[in-house]
Structure formats: structure tokens, C-alpha cells
Amino acid sequence: MSLVAIVGRPNVGKSTLFNRLVGERKAIVDATAGTTRDRHYGKTDWNGREFSVIDTGGYTVNSDDVFEDEIRRQVLLAIDEADVILFVVEVSTGITDLDALMADILRRTSKKVLLICNKVDNNDQIYSSHEFYSLGLGDPYCISSMSGSGTGDMMDAILAALPAETKAEEEDDLPRITIVGRPNVGKSSLTNALLGEERNIVTAVAGTTRDSIHTRYNKFGMDFYLVDTAGMRKKGKTMENLEFYSVMRSIRAIENSDVCILMLDAQQGLEAQDLNIHNLIVRNRKGCVIVVNKWDLIEKGANTMKTWTEALKKRLAPFNDIPIIFTSVLTKQRILDVLQTALRVHQSRKRRIATSELNDFLLPLIENYPPPSTKGKYIKIKYVTQLPTPTPQFAFFVNLPQYIKEPYRRFLENNLRDHWDFSGVPIQIYFRQK
């Protein structure tokens, strides 16, 4: 699929244009310069032609932003990836030194560059756009990314500049694996290590990643979307608006995922916020894999890993049938195990069990270990079936469903898990009147 990159200096409206093109508020928009840091991908279509759009951080030099070098490198990577480049400038400020510097870089590329003059909200401002001819990048397209005026002509120009499609692209239905956790546990580092490239910016500053970054992973016979998210802190510690929006993006990423990789810091252990994120994953019925990062920094004895596993499962109860992997992203220890386990959990989450197979296994078990009688009433489970839902849910048809207690429900769930390997997958069990 063809790629279109949106580049320019900070605060010219790149993310607003990106959101308008993809038709949803995927990139965070704020008046704070430097809000966008990583490359951010989305899909759009115009006149029946679909293509991808990349939003980038604002290109800047000699600023106070500690992310300046990384953002600049991400912008250059996006230019290198793209088929067409949208160079966004702002009509009211005219040509700045940064615009001239960026134009100098773009004139040297062999890619097709469209000059987009943004924030043109009235006809008088169209006349002000003429000074941008001096950048040597052709006719400026006057648009307002906020209201959408002028974007139709721009989209026509993009389609004309895109390379011809070799074949129709089919809509993929790939698993979505989302990496979540508190700030600074190594989520972006894990993404970069798995992809084998510096896809996301990594620094020691908490809150470096702000958007949820989607990347397609297609290596070693595995094909899925890997989503890196912003670190989620407690509500009381979320100080700025940008971080609030970042956390909301992370929650939305969990809701749209199939499997979540919950990353922990081995030096800090399992904290209350980790449990909150775990509960959010379970409430949304997503698959879960727990990854304990920075394992190389822990002093180890004979049974350190076993002790940690038991302690974690005790804290995660009642839903503690979750694969736990101990890694060091820095040394790339067991990082491929993380992907393989996540994909196995995804397969388990999609598993459908035939009704005859369910009853052949569970009914003899229930006969040998029936539900305890309540108030002198004998409880009889007659029939079991899996419901036609996206996640594993089972209906047990009973003569007196109101008398079945929680311990027996857990007994049935544990047997289902052990027999069909539902490790890492939340299961729902319903008791219905026969």
C-alpha cells in the first residue's frame, strides 16, 4: 500500500490534518509544540483508492526539547519510507528558518513533494500564501485542516502523485498485540527490539511515548499488528492534558486489541497500578501475557524465577492462569518467546470446542464431583455448550442455577483451562435454567 508522509516544523497542524485524513482522532492534538514524537500511521481513501498516512513530529533544531534529535531522525525515516510527502507550512507566520531548512532537505529527495499551506481560513490569506513559491517546491495547496476547506484539491493531487497500484490490497484480519504497562518499564524498547529497528523513540524520561503506535510485524512466519502504548500512571499522578489523552489512547488500544502484553519492571515488582491495568485487560476480555523486564538486573538464586511466578500469581488471583515470561530487552533475552506466547494466547482466545466434545469431557466429571446440594435441593447439570461469542464463553444448563456457588464455578473453569489450554484467556461461565 502506498505511503504519504506529513512533515513540517512544530505546530503547523500536521496532526490535525492527519486526523482529518484518517477520519478519526488518532493523533493527539494540542497547542503545546512537540506534542507528536513518534511516527504515527493511519489509513485513508479517496475516490476508491486507499493509502496509508504517516504523521511525524515537528522538525526542529537547536531547541530545548530533549527529544529533538530523535524526532528529527523519525522525520527523516518517514521521508525515506513515503511515496509522497506533504510539506505543511503555516500561512500566518510566513516562511521561517525551519521551513527553509526543511525545504532544502525536501528539494534533494527524489520523492514527490506537495507544499501544503495550512490555516488558510479566508480568501485574504490565500494571497499571503504566494510567498511560499520562493521555497522552490511548486504551487502551494491552500487548506484549513481544521475545517477541511481545500483538502479535496489536495487529495486529488496526492492521488495523481501516488505510484500506480500493482494489485488490489485485501483488508487484512491480523491479530492485534498491544504492549501496555506503567511508564518506563521498557515498552518502546521491546517494540524496537522485536522489529529490529528504532521504530519508537526511547529515553529515560517517563512519558516519552504519547500516542499508541501501530506497526505491522511480518517475520519468522508471524504476521500481526504490534501496538506500543503510552505508560499508564494513576489518575492522581496524571498532571498534564497531554498525558491524560495519552492514557485514554492506551485504554482505547486495549479495547481494540486481541492480546495485551503487560510489562512489569523487575526492580519494582507488581504494583497497584499494574493490577489496575490487569483488571482493565480482564474486564475487556482480552488475552494477556505478563512480561517481567529488566530481569538481568535481579540477583538470582536457585529458584528465583519459580518464587517470582508464585508471588505474581498470588497477587493476580482470581484470574492468574497467565503465561509469565522473564526478559531483558537490553540483552534480547527471551524476547521471541514473548511473541510466540502472545500468538498462542490469541489462538486459544479464538478456540471453538464442539458441543459433543465438551459434554463428553465435562458431564462425567460433573457426575463424579456434582455441585453441593443447597437447602436439601439436588442440583443437576444436564448440558454444556460454547456460546457463539468472539471470546470463550460457556453456558451450563442447570435445574437450579441460582444455587451454584462461586467455588464450583471456579472448579469448572479450572478444568476447562487445564483440558483445552486457555492460559492467558479470560473465560465466562453462565448457568442457565434448563
Side-chain angles (χ1 to χ4, degrees):
M1 186 178 290
S2 302
L3 277 177
V4 175
I6 304 172
V7 301
R9 61 180 173 82
N11 264 28
V12 290
K14 297 183 298 300
S15 293
T16 307
L17 177 58
F18 174 84
N19 287 343
R20 177 161 289 282
L21 292 182
V22 301
E24 55 182 303
R25 297 181 64 179
K26 287 186 77 172
I28 297 175
V29 176
D30 194 87
T32 309
T35 298
T36 304
R37 289 173 180 166
D38 295 288
R39 309 196 302 286
H40 199 57
Y41 290 75
K43 283 183 184 175
T44 187
D45 65 272
W46 184 254
N47 289 342
R49 175 81 185 270
E50 191 176 63
F51 56 91
S52 294
V53 187
I54 314 172
D55 182 25
T56 63
Y59 189 92
T60 185
V61 291
N62 300 326
S63 72
D64 296 329
D65 194 344
V66 295
F67 304 103
E68 178 194 300
D69 291 339
E70 285 286 351
I71 290 171
R72 197 161 59 242
R73 196 158 59 83
Q74 295 279 347
V75 172
L76 295 174
L77 279 169
I79 291 170
D80 192 48
E81 282 182 59
D83 300 300
V84 175
I85 299 155
L86 305 184
F87 175 34
V88 184
V89 293
E90 186 180 344
V91 68
S92 57
T93 55
I95 298 173
T96 66
D97 292 343
L98 282 172
D99 290 329
L101 183 64
M102 191 86 202
D104 190 46
I105 293 168
L106 293 175
R107 279 196 301 269
R108 296 175 196 169
T109 182
S110 59
K111 307 290 178 67
K112 177 66 177 175
V113 179
L114 300 181
L115 179 60
I116 309 300
C117 195
N118 193 23
K119 305 185 184 179
V120 179
D121 297 313
N122 55 58
N123 289 334
D124 292 337
Q125 289 177 316
I126 294 175
Y127 297 112
S128 303
S129 69
H130 294 162
E131 69 171 298
F132 291 99
Y133 278 101
S134 64
L135 293 175
L137 292 169
D139 297 334
Y141 290 87
C142 296
I143 70 160
S144 169
S145 54
M146 186 68 77
S147 67
S149 69
T151 52
D153 291 341
M154 179 193 72
M155 294 294 275
D156 288 338
I158 291 171
L159 284 198
L162 286 175
E165 281 187 318
T166 52
K167 59 176 183 177
E169 298 270 357
E170 291 185 7
E171 184 66 33
D172 46 37
D173 186 24
L174 298 176
R176 298 172 79 87
I177 297 175
T178 302
I179 304 173
V180 296
R182 288 180 289 111
N184 267 27
V185 293
K187 298 183 295 298
S188 296
S189 299
L190 176 61
T191 305
N192 289 344
L194 291 171
L195 296 172
E197 59 172 296
E198 297 300 306
R199 170 68 179 84
N200 301 336
I201 294 176
V202 175
T203 71
V205 180
T208 299
T209 303
R210 285 176 173 168
D211 281 304
S212 298
I213 315 298
H214 295 65
T215 312
R216 185 166 176 176
Y217 185 97
N218 192 352
K219 297 179 183 177
F220 310 112
M222 295 182 275
D223 195 5
F224 57 87
Y225 284 110
L226 191 63
V227 185
D228 181 23
T229 62
M232 293 192 277
R233 294 199 286 177
K234 288 183 180 177
K235 279 185 184 176
K237 293 186 178 179
T238 307
M239 301 301 291
E240 52 178 90
N241 286 339
L242 290 180
E243 189 173 352
F244 169 77
Y245 291 125
S246 298
V247 171
M248 292 305 296
R249 291 285 193 282
S250 299
I251 293 170
R252 186 68 56 83
I254 290 174
E255 291 170 351
N256 293 331
S257 67
D258 295 306
V259 178
C260 294
I261 296 171
L262 174 55
M263 288 195 75
L264 311 179
D265 188 325
Q267 293 179 297
Q268 297 175 1
L270 184 72
E271 297 189 348
Q273 182 62 0
D274 298 315
L275 289 172
N276 290 337
I277 299 168
H278 170 258
N279 290 335
L280 184 64
I281 294 167
V282 176
R283 279 204 309 273
N284 282 284
R285 298 173 183 172
K286 306 301 179 183
C288 185
V289 177
I290 290 177
V291 174
V292 183
N293 190 27
K294 307 182 186 178
W295 191 241
D296 54 321
L297 303 177
I298 298 297
E299 287 188 23
K300 300 170 191 69
N303 294 310
T304 309
M305 202 176 283
K306 185 181 177 185
T307 306
W308 264 76
T309 302
E310 288 172 355
L312 287 173
K313 292 201 170 188
K314 191 174 180 182
R315 292 281 310 277
L316 293 167
F319 177 46
N320 56 10
D321 181 23
I322 301 174
I324 300 172
I325 301 169
F326 298 86
T327 69
S328 167
V329 173
L330 204 61
T331 62
K332 299 191 176 180
Q333 180 186 25
R334 286 188 284 271
I335 61 169
L336 275 181
D337 289 354
V338 174
L339 290 188
Q340 289 164 351
T341 305
L343 288 173
R344 193 174 74 242
V345 168
H346 174 65
Q347 290 301 320
S348 298
R349 188 169 176 266
K350 294 196 306 178
R351 180 170 290 125
R352 301 287 308 165
I353 304 168
T355 302
S356 58
E357 195 180 342
L358 268 174
N359 286 279
D360 287 348
F361 171 70
L362 285 170
L363 291 184
L365 181 76
I366 291 165
E367 195 171 337
N368 290 331
Y369 302 97
S373 60
T374 305
K375 298 180 181 177
K377 296 184 185 294
Y378 180 65
I379 300 165
K380 182 77 173 171
I381 296 175
K382 298 283 188 181
Y383 178 74
V384 190
T385 187
Q386 184 173 358
L387 299 174
T389 51
T391 58
Q393 299 182 36
F394 300 90
F396 287 73
F397 292 88
V398 197
N399 60 342
L400 298 166
Q402 68 272 26
Y403 290 141
I404 294 186
K405 301 291 189 287
E406 180 63 20
Y408 196 76
R409 191 198 67 76
R410 284 204 300 269
F411 163 75
L412 294 174
E413 181 180 329
N414 290 339
N415 277 282
L416 278 167
R417 289 186 176 283
D418 292 342
H419 192 73
W420 281 287
D421 183 25
F422 282 112
S423 179
V425 183
I427 290 177
Q428 272 70 45
I429 288 179
Y430 304 99
F431 296 103
R432 294 181 174 174
Q433 183 76 41
K434 179 176 169 295

